[in-house]
Amino acid sequence: MSSRLASLSVSALAWLGFVVVMLWTVGFLAGVVVPRTVDGPARTSTGFAVAADLGLLGLFAVQHSVMARRGVKSWLRRRIPASLERTTFVLATDVCLVALLVLWQPWGGQLWDLDGPAAVVLWSLCAAGWLLAITATFAVDHLELTGLRQAGWAPRKSSAPITELQTRGLYAVVRHPLLTGMLLAFWATPQMGASHLLFAVASTAYVAVGMRFEERDLRRSFGASYDAYAARVPALVPGLPMRRVQVPIAASVPAKTPRQDQVRAGQGEAPR
């Protein structure tokens, strides 16, 4: 009983930290509420600031990518309860993001500073991006994505192999709605400074690389079924004209049968 209570408590703490850090990140990028923002006053030399910011972004990228690897997950499960493996990932992500938000070093000047109707449109797009990213976590499984389900806050879903690819709802519009929302939130701003641009460019590069690996894994799992899906639904930007792809009928069976957590990881989690 005490072990279950500990799992519930730690996972709830990780989820609460996730919520706080996400709200903090919104204020950090929007330049409101929080004391230190992405384009605040410079506190050090440009060279040191750029190096520090790239290091903080790299720390998040390494943590997010390494801890998502199957080998690392297996290593963790031998040392902590399996129910807390995802919670550990969320806690580590919280720590890395807090470090970035606290230690970020603004530098450079403003690239653009818009007001009036243009500012309203950009703020609206930014808000829509955050809303899309949050909604996408529920379109997959918010409780599992944040570790609450595994820790016992909700019944565990079956781990039996499945063959159905998630193509409904948000996934009928873009293949990676979570990433679409995040990129929109990062770029849609009426006030873009040099350090915000660095954050947006580095984050976009990480998303692009991570998405390439995710697409590779999904094609290995679903074979031509995913090829057909990718031929009709754009990856990130809704409404893009798609290139027609001939899908052999004989190849329509998935190359291998993934487990549910693999499908959710491929279409719902951040890139890795």
Side-chain angles (χ1 to χ4, degrees):
M1 183 67 179
S2 59
S3 177
R4 175 176 169 77
L5 180 60
S7 293
L8 291 172
S9 301
V10 173
S11 60
L13 178 64
W15 178 84
L16 182 61
F18 168 79
V19 173
V20 170
V21 170
M22 287 302 100
L23 292 175
W24 189 352
T25 303
V26 172
F28 173 78
L29 292 176
V32 297
V33 181
V34 297
R36 291 193 173 190
T37 60
V38 68
D39 279 329
R43 297 183 292 271
T44 185
S45 66
T46 298
F48 180 83
V50 172
D53 294 345
L54 288 175
L56 291 167
L57 289 164
L59 175 65
F60 171 81
V62 169
Q63 175 269 321
H64 222 61
S65 299
V66 170
M67 291 191 69
R69 294 296 92 195
R70 292 181 185 176
V72 175
K73 289 181 178 181
S74 298
W75 182 87
L76 279 174
R77 289 186 187 122
R78 292 194 297 269
R79 288 159 177 80
I80 61 173
S83 60
L84 291 179
E85 182 264 316
R86 182 65 188 177
T87 291
T88 303
F89 177 88
V90 174
L91 280 171
T93 300
D94 291 344
V95 170
C96 290
L97 283 175
V98 167
L100 186 150
L101 296 170
V102 171
L103 300 177
W104 183 265
Q105 299 297 325
W107 58 276
Q110 289 290 112
L111 301 179
W112 67 73
D113 188 355
L114 306 176
D115 53 18
V120 172
V121 170
L122 287 171
W123 282 129
S124 298
L125 289 173
C126 181
W130 285 116
L131 181 61
L132 175 59
I134 293 169
T135 303
T137 69
F138 289 93
V140 181
D141 187 335
H142 180 82
L143 295 180
E144 186 160 336
L145 193 65
T146 56
L148 293 177
R149 186 180 300 282
Q150 297 92 318
W153 283 98
R156 292 293 298 268
K157 291 186 175 180
S158 171
S159 59
I162 59 173
T163 59
E164 182 182 3
L165 180 68
Q166 170 68 286
T167 61
R168 296 182 294 275
L170 293 175
Y171 293 97
V173 182
V174 289
R175 301 199 300 276
H176 303 278
L178 174 60
L179 302 183
T180 296
M182 291 171 59
L183 292 177
L184 186 58
F186 294 163
W187 284 97
T189 174
Q191 300 163 349
M192 176 68 80
S195 48
H196 190 155
L197 180 64
L198 175 66
F199 182 97
V201 169
S203 299
T204 301
Y206 177 59
V207 165
V209 172
M211 188 175 67
R212 185 178 183 87
F213 284 103
E214 292 291 355
E215 294 265 309
R216 182 196 64 184
D217 292 343
L218 288 166
R219 283 186 165 87
R220 285 178 178 175
S221 297
F222 293 100
S225 296
Y226 192 81
D227 288 333
Y229 170 59
R232 68 177 186 273
V233 177
L236 294 171
V237 182
L240 281 183
M242 303 302 297
R243 180 169 53 90
R244 291 184 177 274
V245 177
Q246 290 288 343
V247 179
I249 297 177
S252 61
V253 179
K256 65 178 180 178
T257 304
R259 294 163 63 93
Q260 286 181 331
D261 57 350
Q262 292 175 302
V263 177
R264 283 188 287 271
Q267 291 190 282
E269 294 182 10
R272 57 178 184 260

PDB file of all heavy atoms in Angstrom, residues 54-82:
ATOM      1  N   LEU A  54      22.532  27.829 -26.197  1.00  0.00           N
ATOM      2  CA  LEU A  54      22.655  26.601 -26.988  1.00  0.00           C
ATOM      3  C   LEU A  54      22.911  25.394 -26.076  1.00  0.00           C
ATOM      4  O   LEU A  54      22.405  24.292 -26.323  1.00  0.00           O
ATOM      5  CB  LEU A  54      23.774  26.742 -28.015  1.00  0.00           C
ATOM      6  CG  LEU A  54      23.490  27.675 -29.199  1.00  0.00           C
ATOM      7  CD1 LEU A  54      24.727  27.830 -30.073  1.00  0.00           C
ATOM      8  CD2 LEU A  54      22.311  27.166 -30.026  1.00  0.00           C
ATOM      9  N   GLY A  55      23.695  25.606 -25.022  1.00  0.00           N
ATOM     10  CA  GLY A  55      23.939  24.526 -24.076  1.00  0.00           C
ATOM     11  C   GLY A  55      22.668  24.099 -23.362  1.00  0.00           C
ATOM     12  O   GLY A  55      22.423  22.897 -23.174  1.00  0.00           O
ATOM     13  N   LEU A  56      21.835  25.059 -22.962  1.00  0.00           N
ATOM     14  CA  LEU A  56      20.577  24.735 -22.287  1.00  0.00           C
ATOM     15  C   LEU A  56      19.616  24.014 -23.229  1.00  0.00           C
ATOM     16  O   LEU A  56      18.946  23.050 -22.829  1.00  0.00           O
ATOM     17  CB  LEU A  56      19.939  26.025 -21.758  1.00  0.00           C
ATOM     18  CG  LEU A  56      20.687  26.704 -20.605  1.00  0.00           C
ATOM     19  CD1 LEU A  56      20.163  28.115 -20.384  1.00  0.00           C
ATOM     20  CD2 LEU A  56      20.565  25.879 -19.329  1.00  0.00           C
ATOM     21  N   LEU A  57      19.547  24.469 -24.464  1.00  0.00           N
ATOM     22  CA  LEU A  57      18.702  23.787 -25.444  1.00  0.00           C
ATOM     23  C   LEU A  57      19.230  22.383 -25.732  1.00  0.00           C
ATOM     24  O   LEU A  57      18.458  21.434 -25.884  1.00  0.00           O
ATOM     25  CB  LEU A  57      18.644  24.609 -26.736  1.00  0.00           C
ATOM     26  CG  LEU A  57      17.853  25.924 -26.653  1.00  0.00           C
ATOM     27  CD1 LEU A  57      18.188  26.828 -27.833  1.00  0.00           C
ATOM     28  CD2 LEU A  57      16.354  25.656 -26.603  1.00  0.00           C
ATOM     29  N   GLY A  58      20.552  22.256 -25.800  1.00  0.00           N
ATOM     30  CA  GLY A  58      21.148  20.942 -26.025  1.00  0.00           C
ATOM     31  C   GLY A  58      20.897  19.993 -24.869  1.00  0.00           C
ATOM     32  O   GLY A  58      20.666  18.793 -25.081  1.00  0.00           O
ATOM     33  N   LEU A  59      20.929  20.514 -23.634  1.00  0.00           N
ATOM     34  CA  LEU A  59      20.644  19.682 -22.469  1.00  0.00           C
ATOM     35  C   LEU A  59      19.245  19.091 -22.551  1.00  0.00           C
ATOM     36  O   LEU A  59      19.046  17.888 -22.312  1.00  0.00           O
ATOM     37  CB  LEU A  59      20.775  20.526 -21.194  1.00  0.00           C
ATOM     38  CG  LEU A  59      20.387  19.829 -19.879  1.00  0.00           C
ATOM     39  CD1 LEU A  59      21.341  18.675 -19.581  1.00  0.00           C
ATOM     40  CD2 LEU A  59      20.371  20.842 -18.725  1.00  0.00           C
ATOM     41  N   PHE A  60      18.269  19.923 -22.916  1.00  0.00           N
ATOM     42  CA  PHE A  60      16.900  19.429 -23.059  1.00  0.00           C
ATOM     43  C   PHE A  60      16.818  18.386 -24.171  1.00  0.00           C
ATOM     44  O   PHE A  60      16.182  17.339 -24.010  1.00  0.00           O
ATOM     45  CB  PHE A  60      15.954  20.582 -23.366  1.00  0.00           C
ATOM     46  CG  PHE A  60      14.562  20.126 -23.732  1.00  0.00           C
ATOM     47  CD1 PHE A  60      13.647  19.785 -22.753  1.00  0.00           C
ATOM     48  CD2 PHE A  60      14.177  20.020 -25.066  1.00  0.00           C
ATOM     49  CE1 PHE A  60      12.373  19.346 -23.090  1.00  0.00           C
ATOM     50  CE2 PHE A  60      12.909  19.582 -25.408  1.00  0.00           C
ATOM     51  CZ  PHE A  60      12.007  19.245 -24.408  1.00  0.00           C
ATOM     52  N   ALA A  61      17.468  18.658 -25.299  1.00  0.00           N
ATOM     53  CA  ALA A  61      17.408  17.726 -26.432  1.00  0.00           C
ATOM     54  C   ALA A  61      18.025  16.378 -26.069  1.00  0.00           C
ATOM     55  O   ALA A  61      17.465  15.323 -26.393  1.00  0.00           O
ATOM     56  CB  ALA A  61      18.124  18.337 -27.639  1.00  0.00           C
ATOM     57  N   VAL A  62      19.164  16.391 -25.384  1.00  0.00           N
ATOM     58  CA  VAL A  62      19.825  15.139 -25.007  1.00  0.00           C
ATOM     59  C   VAL A  62      18.962  14.365 -24.022  1.00  0.00           C
ATOM     60  O   VAL A  62      18.751  13.154 -24.168  1.00  0.00           O
ATOM     61  CB  VAL A  62      21.221  15.430 -24.404  1.00  0.00           C
ATOM     62  CG1 VAL A  62      21.797  14.176 -23.763  1.00  0.00           C
ATOM     63  CG2 VAL A  62      22.155  15.951 -25.482  1.00  0.00           C
ATOM     64  N   GLN A  63      18.460  15.054 -22.994  1.00  0.00           N
ATOM     65  CA  GLN A  63      17.608  14.369 -22.014  1.00  0.00           C
ATOM     66  C   GLN A  63      16.385  13.761 -22.671  1.00  0.00           C
ATOM     67  O   GLN A  63      16.041  12.597 -22.437  1.00  0.00           O
ATOM     68  CB  GLN A  63      17.176  15.359 -20.928  1.00  0.00           C
ATOM     69  CG  GLN A  63      16.193  14.791 -19.918  1.00  0.00           C
ATOM     70  CD  GLN A  63      14.732  15.002 -20.312  1.00  0.00           C
ATOM     71  OE1 GLN A  63      14.356  16.050 -20.839  1.00  0.00           O
ATOM     72  NE2 GLN A  63      13.900  14.002 -20.078  1.00  0.00           N
ATOM     73  N   HIS A  64      15.727  14.541 -23.512  1.00  0.00           N
ATOM     74  CA  HIS A  64      14.483  14.088 -24.125  1.00  0.00           C
ATOM     75  C   HIS A  64      14.722  12.923 -25.082  1.00  0.00           C
ATOM     76  O   HIS A  64      13.891  12.020 -25.178  1.00  0.00           O
ATOM     77  CB  HIS A  64      13.842  15.260 -24.874  1.00  0.00           C
ATOM     78  CG  HIS A  64      12.369  15.355 -24.687  1.00  0.00           C
ATOM     79  ND1 HIS A  64      11.785  15.544 -23.460  1.00  0.00           N
ATOM     80  CD2 HIS A  64      11.342  15.275 -25.567  1.00  0.00           C
ATOM     81  CE1 HIS A  64      10.469  15.591 -23.591  1.00  0.00           C
ATOM     82  NE2 HIS A  64      10.183  15.421 -24.858  1.00  0.00           N
ATOM     83  N   SER A  65      15.837  12.945 -25.768  1.00  0.00           N
ATOM     84  CA  SER A  65      16.126  11.901 -26.748  1.00  0.00           C
ATOM     85  C   SER A  65      16.673  10.645 -26.088  1.00  0.00           C
ATOM     86  O   SER A  65      16.229   9.536 -26.386  1.00  0.00           O
ATOM     87  CB  SER A  65      17.125  12.415 -27.787  1.00  0.00           C
ATOM     88  OG  SER A  65      16.608  13.527 -28.486  1.00  0.00           O
ATOM     89  N   VAL A  66      17.633  10.809 -25.186  1.00  0.00           N
ATOM     90  CA  VAL A  66      18.272   9.648 -24.561  1.00  0.00           C
ATOM     91  C   VAL A  66      17.292   8.881 -23.702  1.00  0.00           C
ATOM     92  O   VAL A  66      17.204   7.644 -23.768  1.00  0.00           O
ATOM     93  CB  VAL A  66      19.502  10.091 -23.738  1.00  0.00           C
ATOM     94  CG1 VAL A  66      20.021   8.931 -22.895  1.00  0.00           C
ATOM     95  CG2 VAL A  66      20.594  10.621 -24.652  1.00  0.00           C
ATOM     96  N   MET A  67      16.511   9.577 -22.881  1.00  0.00           N
ATOM     97  CA  MET A  67      15.594   8.888 -21.975  1.00  0.00           C
ATOM     98  C   MET A  67      14.428   8.242 -22.705  1.00  0.00           C
ATOM     99  O   MET A  67      13.706   7.419 -22.128  1.00  0.00           O
ATOM    100  CB  MET A  67      15.066   9.853 -20.906  1.00  0.00           C
ATOM    101  CG  MET A  67      16.121  10.286 -19.910  1.00  0.00           C
ATOM    102  SD  MET A  67      15.415  11.160 -18.487  1.00  0.00           S
ATOM    103  CE  MET A  67      14.543   9.813 -17.655  1.00  0.00           C
ATOM    104  N   ALA A  68      14.212   8.582 -23.975  1.00  0.00           N
ATOM    105  CA  ALA A  68      13.138   7.966 -24.749  1.00  0.00           C
ATOM    106  C   ALA A  68      13.595   6.691 -25.457  1.00  0.00           C
ATOM    107  O   ALA A  68      12.770   5.974 -26.019  1.00  0.00           O
ATOM    108  CB  ALA A  68      12.605   8.958 -25.786  1.00  0.00           C
ATOM    109  N   ARG A  69      14.892   6.393 -25.419  1.00  0.00           N
ATOM    110  CA  ARG A  69      15.404   5.194 -26.070  1.00  0.00           C
ATOM    111  C   ARG A  69      15.001   3.941 -25.293  1.00  0.00           C
ATOM    112  O   ARG A  69      14.952   3.940 -24.063  1.00  0.00           O
ATOM    113  CB  ARG A  69      16.919   5.246 -26.178  1.00  0.00           C
ATOM    114  CG  ARG A  69      17.474   6.336 -27.079  1.00  0.00           C
ATOM    115  CD  ARG A  69      17.075   6.141 -28.518  1.00  0.00           C
ATOM    116  NE  ARG A  69      15.835   6.847 -28.857  1.00  0.00           N
ATOM    117  CZ  ARG A  69      15.118   6.624 -29.926  1.00  0.00           C
ATOM    118  NH1 ARG A  69      15.475   5.675 -30.781  1.00  0.00           N
ATOM    119  NH2 ARG A  69      14.022   7.316 -30.160  1.00  0.00           N
ATOM    120  N   ARG A  70      14.728   2.882 -26.019  1.00  0.00           N
ATOM    121  CA  ARG A  70      14.286   1.637 -25.376  1.00  0.00           C
ATOM    122  C   ARG A  70      15.325   1.086 -24.423  1.00  0.00           C
ATOM    123  O   ARG A  70      14.990   0.564 -23.355  1.00  0.00           O
ATOM    124  CB  ARG A  70      13.954   0.591 -26.446  1.00  0.00           C
ATOM    125  CG  ARG A  70      12.732   0.933 -27.282  1.00  0.00           C
ATOM    126  CD  ARG A  70      12.458  -0.156 -28.299  1.00  0.00           C
ATOM    127  NE  ARG A  70      11.364   0.226 -29.185  1.00  0.00           N
ATOM    128  CZ  ARG A  70      10.974  -0.507 -30.217  1.00  0.00           C
ATOM    129  NH1 ARG A  70      11.586  -1.645 -30.483  1.00  0.00           N
ATOM    130  NH2 ARG A  70       9.972  -0.101 -30.980  1.00  0.00           N
ATOM    131  N   GLY A  71      16.600   1.180 -24.784  1.00  0.00           N
ATOM    132  CA  GLY A  71      17.645   0.667 -23.913  1.00  0.00           C
ATOM    133  C   GLY A  71      17.687   1.393 -22.578  1.00  0.00           C
ATOM    134  O   GLY A  71      17.873   0.780 -21.521  1.00  0.00           O
ATOM    135  N   VAL A  72      17.530   2.716 -22.626  1.00  0.00           N
ATOM    136  CA  VAL A  72      17.537   3.507 -21.394  1.00  0.00           C
ATOM    137  C   VAL A  72      16.295   3.198 -20.559  1.00  0.00           C
ATOM    138  O   VAL A  72      16.365   3.087 -19.327  1.00  0.00           O
ATOM    139  CB  VAL A  72      17.612   5.012 -21.719  1.00  0.00           C
ATOM    140  CG1 VAL A  72      17.505   5.855 -20.445  1.00  0.00           C
ATOM    141  CG2 VAL A  72      18.908   5.322 -22.450  1.00  0.00           C
ATOM    142  N   LYS A  73      15.155   3.027 -21.224  1.00  0.00           N
ATOM    143  CA  LYS A  73      13.936   2.663 -20.493  1.00  0.00           C
ATOM    144  C   LYS A  73      14.112   1.327 -19.779  1.00  0.00           C
ATOM    145  O   LYS A  73      13.717   1.171 -18.613  1.00  0.00           O
ATOM    146  CB  LYS A  73      12.750   2.592 -21.455  1.00  0.00           C
ATOM    147  CG  LYS A  73      12.277   3.942 -21.983  1.00  0.00           C
ATOM    148  CD  LYS A  73      11.092   3.744 -22.900  1.00  0.00           C
ATOM    149  CE  LYS A  73      10.560   5.073 -23.420  1.00  0.00           C
ATOM    150  NZ  LYS A  73       9.376   4.891 -24.293  1.00  0.00           N
ATOM    151  N   SER A  74      14.708   0.360 -20.468  1.00  0.00           N
ATOM    152  CA  SER A  74      14.941  -0.945 -19.852  1.00  0.00           C
ATOM    153  C   SER A  74      15.884  -0.828 -18.669  1.00  0.00           C
ATOM    154  O   SER A  74      15.685  -1.472 -17.626  1.00  0.00           O
ATOM    155  CB  SER A  74      15.512  -1.919 -20.890  1.00  0.00           C
ATOM    156  OG  SER A  74      14.608  -2.115 -21.948  1.00  0.00           O
ATOM    157  N   TRP A  75      16.916  -0.014 -18.809  1.00  0.00           N
ATOM    158  CA  TRP A  75      17.871   0.205 -17.714  1.00  0.00           C
ATOM    159  C   TRP A  75      17.169   0.813 -16.512  1.00  0.00           C
ATOM    160  O   TRP A  75      17.416   0.409 -15.364  1.00  0.00           O
ATOM    161  CB  TRP A  75      18.993   1.107 -18.209  1.00  0.00           C
ATOM    162  CG  TRP A  75      20.069   1.367 -17.194  1.00  0.00           C
ATOM    163  CD1 TRP A  75      21.173   0.593 -16.952  1.00  0.00           C
ATOM    164  CD2 TRP A  75      20.144   2.479 -16.289  1.00  0.00           C
ATOM    165  NE1 TRP A  75      21.931   1.141 -15.952  1.00  0.00           N
ATOM    166  CE2 TRP A  75      21.328   2.303 -15.521  1.00  0.00           C
ATOM    167  CE3 TRP A  75      19.342   3.590 -16.060  1.00  0.00           C
ATOM    168  CZ2 TRP A  75      21.723   3.207 -14.533  1.00  0.00           C
ATOM    169  CZ3 TRP A  75      19.720   4.493 -15.073  1.00  0.00           C
ATOM    170  CH2 TRP A  75      20.898   4.304 -14.327  1.00  0.00           C
ATOM    171  N   LEU A  76      16.282   1.787 -16.748  1.00  0.00           N
ATOM    172  CA  LEU A  76      15.550   2.420 -15.649  1.00  0.00           C
ATOM    173  C   LEU A  76      14.615   1.439 -14.951  1.00  0.00           C
ATOM    174  O   LEU A  76      14.512   1.430 -13.719  1.00  0.00           O
ATOM    175  CB  LEU A  76      14.732   3.604 -16.181  1.00  0.00           C
ATOM    176  CG  LEU A  76      15.468   4.925 -16.403  1.00  0.00           C
ATOM    177  CD1 LEU A  76      14.549   5.936 -17.072  1.00  0.00           C
ATOM    178  CD2 LEU A  76      16.003   5.473 -15.082  1.00  0.00           C
ATOM    179  N   ARG A  77      13.949   0.592 -15.731  1.00  0.00           N
ATOM    180  CA  ARG A  77      12.985  -0.343 -15.141  1.00  0.00           C
ATOM    181  C   ARG A  77      13.653  -1.368 -14.236  1.00  0.00           C
ATOM    182  O   ARG A  77      12.991  -1.957 -13.390  1.00  0.00           O
ATOM    183  CB  ARG A  77      12.201  -1.047 -16.254  1.00  0.00           C
ATOM    184  CG  ARG A  77      11.220  -0.139 -16.983  1.00  0.00           C
ATOM    185  CD  ARG A  77      10.369  -0.919 -17.970  1.00  0.00           C
ATOM    186  NE  ARG A  77       9.555  -0.018 -18.763  1.00  0.00           N
ATOM    187  CZ  ARG A  77       9.581   0.048 -20.087  1.00  0.00           C
ATOM    188  NH1 ARG A  77      10.402  -0.753 -20.775  1.00  0.00           N
ATOM    189  NH2 ARG A  77       8.809   0.877 -20.749  1.00  0.00           N
ATOM    190  N   ARG A  78      14.952  -1.583 -14.431  1.00  0.00           N
ATOM    191  CA  ARG A  78      15.662  -2.501 -13.538  1.00  0.00           C
ATOM    192  C   ARG A  78      16.048  -1.836 -12.225  1.00  0.00           C
ATOM    193  O   ARG A  78      16.479  -2.517 -11.293  1.00  0.00           O
ATOM    194  CB  ARG A  78      16.919  -3.031 -14.239  1.00  0.00           C
ATOM    195  CG  ARG A  78      16.631  -3.940 -15.424  1.00  0.00           C
ATOM    196  CD  ARG A  78      17.875  -4.712 -15.860  1.00  0.00           C
ATOM    197  NE  ARG A  78      18.937  -3.828 -16.328  1.00  0.00           N
ATOM    198  CZ  ARG A  78      19.103  -3.455 -17.603  1.00  0.00           C
ATOM    199  NH1 ARG A  78      18.252  -3.870 -18.531  1.00  0.00           N
ATOM    200  NH2 ARG A  78      20.107  -2.667 -17.943  1.00  0.00           N
ATOM    201  N   ARG A  79      15.884  -0.518 -12.146  1.00  0.00           N
ATOM    202  CA  ARG A  79      16.316   0.215 -10.968  1.00  0.00           C
ATOM    203  C   ARG A  79      15.192   0.954 -10.245  1.00  0.00           C
ATOM    204  O   ARG A  79      15.368   1.352  -9.093  1.00  0.00           O
ATOM    205  CB  ARG A  79      17.418   1.210 -11.371  1.00  0.00           C
ATOM    206  CG  ARG A  79      18.730   0.499 -11.688  1.00  0.00           C
ATOM    207  CD  ARG A  79      19.653   1.324 -12.552  1.00  0.00           C
ATOM    208  NE  ARG A  79      20.927   0.611 -12.766  1.00  0.00           N
ATOM    209  CZ  ARG A  79      21.078  -0.353 -13.658  1.00  0.00           C
ATOM    210  NH1 ARG A  79      20.065  -0.725 -14.430  1.00  0.00           N
ATOM    211  NH2 ARG A  79      22.246  -0.969 -13.783  1.00  0.00           N
ATOM    212  N   ILE A  80      14.089   1.176 -10.927  1.00  0.00           N
ATOM    213  CA  ILE A  80      12.932   1.819 -10.306  1.00  0.00           C
ATOM    214  C   ILE A  80      11.689   1.020 -10.679  1.00  0.00           C
ATOM    215  O   ILE A  80      11.712   0.242 -11.633  1.00  0.00           O
ATOM    216  CB  ILE A  80      12.772   3.284 -10.788  1.00  0.00           C
ATOM    217  CG1 ILE A  80      12.545   3.325 -12.305  1.00  0.00           C
ATOM    218  CG2 ILE A  80      13.983   4.131 -10.395  1.00  0.00           C
ATOM    219  CD1 ILE A  80      12.222   4.705 -12.832  1.00  0.00           C
ATOM    220  N   PRO A  81      10.593   1.194  -9.945  1.00  0.00           N
ATOM    221  CA  PRO A  81       9.354   0.504 -10.329  1.00  0.00           C
ATOM    222  C   PRO A  81       8.952   0.872 -11.754  1.00  0.00           C
ATOM    223  O   PRO A  81       9.055   2.030 -12.170  1.00  0.00           O
ATOM    224  CB  PRO A  81       8.333   1.022  -9.312  1.00  0.00           C
ATOM    225  CG  PRO A  81       9.152   1.451  -8.138  1.00  0.00           C
ATOM    226  CD  PRO A  81      10.436   1.968  -8.696  1.00  0.00           C
ATOM    227  N   ALA A  82       8.502  -0.121 -12.518  1.00  0.00           N
ATOM    228  CA  ALA A  82       8.104   0.121 -13.902  1.00  0.00           C
ATOM    229  C   ALA A  82       7.009   1.180 -13.992  1.00  0.00           C
ATOM    230  O   ALA A  82       6.934   1.929 -14.973  1.00  0.00           O
ATOM    231  CB  ALA A  82       7.631  -1.180 -14.545  1.00  0.00           C
TER     232      ALA A  82
END
